[in-house]
Every structure is written in structure tokens, then in C-alpha cells.
Amino acid sequence: MRIDAHQHFWRIADRAGQWPPPDLAPIYRDFGPEDLAPLLAAAGIEGTVLVQTMEREADTAYMLDLAARHPFIRAVVGWTDMKAPDAEGAIARLATHPRLKGLRPMLQDIAEDDWITDPALAPAVGAMIAHDLAFDALVLPRHLRPLFAFAARHPALRIVIDHGAKPLIGEGRISRWRADLAALAALPNVWCKLSGLLTEADGRGPAAVRPYAETLLDLFGPARLIFGSDWPVLRLAGDYAGWLALCRDIVPAAHHDAVFGANAARFYRLDGDALAAAN
């Protein structure tokens, strides 16, 4: 099974005051399952992981409703306030939804780089582990060292770094990013998504992306690297078929089954869903 492990849907009417702004014309409109389905069919992608884009419980409810009505959405990564007094209860309630497979605080938008190291997160993390939920880390390079402390503190929590931590490809910076990622890759509970890099290239194109993508493959190996499109944000820099083709060219063919499907199924616990669908 081929899985796109990172995509989004949204309705502009729900996003007053939220990203994206109107000047990002390629993505400033509604995007729903009917828009993505033809691209998936053309690419041979059989399932997706739908990821949150707003710090609102209503956004998670919207995604879970879509997942209930569109079988290709195999998993939802939602949001809840992980420092709320009732975070454990909120996570337990969300976990009753069979398609809710993970949570994502929007770390890149939080002013404190070390927010993730606050011991106040421990109850929420404990609830995530108890309910077998994954943690998507939406981070920038400056968050990698605090993320390492968090990941080392919680070895039973499955963590995936979104978009390779958004390296500064447009500026050609790679050495410190690589070193900080290498420390995280040494932890067996940390995975990484091969996603979002074309957007970070700042117009420099696929040639600029390649060394960063190859670094992710080198550090995390074919067993912990997961393909994602980051569609429709991808539309700011390219198209679905082009990004998929670039990733397939970078990842050796022997590892395509893992990177483009099996790893997502393992990380997000999709095997049971796939078996049920097959039956």
C-alpha cells in the first residue's frame, strides 16, 4: 500500500485571522477530499494521513468527520491543548475515534523554543502513550535541541519530525541542522518525514532539495523515513506528481515499499485498518 503521510484540508471561511494569507493565492481557497482524490489516483497513492493546521478542537472534529466519510483518509493527526488541566481526559476522548492516530502541537508558532521541555507536558504525554498515539513534531531547526531533550525523556513516545525540521535550504545552511538531526536520529523512537522540503527551497528547485533529502535518508535510514506530500502547501513550490517523482528518484527503489507506505503504516498503526479494508 502506498501512503501519503502528510496532507491537509481546510475551509477558508473557518480560518479568519489564520494562515494562509490572501496573498498566497495558490493555497488561499478551500481544499477538500474531492480536490486531492484525482491526484492520489494518478499517483497510485491508496491512503493518506490528514494533519491538523489550527490550534482548535473544531479543526480536529472537522478532520475526523472527513475521515469517517472518505476511506482514503487512513489516519488523522489532531490537536488538543497538551498543557490544559484536563489534557489527559481530552486525549482519552479523542482516542476513542478509530482514525485519530496522533497529535501535533504547533511548535513552530510557539514563542518559547523550549516549550516542549516543560515537565507540565508529562500527563498529556503519558495519556498519548497509554492510548498508543503518535506525536508529530512541527519544528524549525532552532527547536531540534529542545526536541532531543523531550524525545530522550519520553522513549516510549513515537515521534516524527515533520518536513525534516524545515531546513534553511534557501540559505544553503546544512551543517548544524544535520548535526542536531543526527542526535535525534540516534534515538530509536524518533522518525522523520520526507515532506515539505521543496517549499523550504525558496525557489531554488529540486537540485537544492536533493542534499537535504539525502541527508534525511542517511540519518534515519529506510526504516524510519516516511514520505509525505504536504499538499496543498506543496502548491506554493511545485505539484504533486513532481514532488513524488523527485522523492522516488532520491530513495533507492529497494526502499520504496518502506518509505512510501510500510513505514507510515507502522508508525501510525495503520496495519489493522489496511487489513480490515482488504477483508
Side-chain angles (χ1 to χ4, degrees), residues 184-261:
L184 279 154
L187 301 176
N189 61 319
V190 180
W191 302 47
C192 191
K193 287 186 183 179
L194 179 58
S195 63
L197 299 183
L198 199 58
T199 312
E200 301 306 316
D202 199 21
R204 296 178 66 189
V209 165
R210 182 174 288 270
Y212 294 84
E214 290 173 344
T215 295
L216 297 182
L217 181 61
D218 179 51
L219 293 179
F220 290 90
R224 285 187 290 143
L225 190 65
I226 305 174
F227 167 77
S229 67
D230 196 28
W231 184 94
V233 181
L234 171 65
R235 289 166 54 93
L236 294 172
D239 59 45
Y240 200 101
W243 172 243
L244 179 59
L246 175 61
C247 292
R248 283 177 170 165
D249 183 58
I250 290 169
V251 176
H255 303 313
H256 281 192
D257 285 351
V259 174
F260 297 96

Side-chain angles (χ1 to χ4, degrees), residues 54-197:
M54 289 195 293
E55 296 174 315
R56 296 179 183 175
E57 302 279 2
D59 183 48
T60 301
Y62 161 69
M63 293 189 297
L64 289 170
D65 176 67
L66 288 178
R69 294 187 286 113
H70 298 276
F72 74 78
I73 304 173
R74 302 292 174 129
V76 168
V77 175
W79 178 89
T80 195
D81 183 353
M82 294 182 66
K83 292 186 181 180
D86 186 38
E88 293 171 275
I91 290 169
R93 289 189 293 274
L94 285 170
T96 64
H97 296 270
R99 286 290 190 265
L100 195 285
K101 302 293 187 179
L103 295 173
R104 182 172 87 150
M106 302 189 76
L107 300 176
Q108 69 172 13
D109 297 328
I110 296 174
E112 302 86 2
D113 290 354
D114 60 352
W115 183 93
I116 193 68
T117 65
D118 189 343
L121 287 168
V125 171
M128 290 183 67
I129 294 169
H131 294 285
D132 201 22
L133 298 178
F135 183 98
D136 266 57
L138 176 61
V139 294
L140 302 173
R142 69 175 187 267
H143 298 107
L144 290 175
R145 294 184 182 184
L147 182 62
F148 175 85
F150 173 78
R153 181 182 297 164
H154 302 290
L157 180 67
R158 284 173 289 122
I159 299 170
V160 64
I161 300 170
D162 292 344
H163 316 320
K166 295 192 170 184
L168 299 173
I169 300 174
E171 299 178 16
R173 299 188 190 182
I174 195 168
S175 57
R176 178 171 173 177
W177 167 80
R178 190 190 196 286
D180 289 343
L181 264 186
L184 279 154
L187 301 176
N189 61 319
V190 180
W191 302 47
C192 191
K193 287 186 183 179
L194 179 58
S195 63
L197 299 183

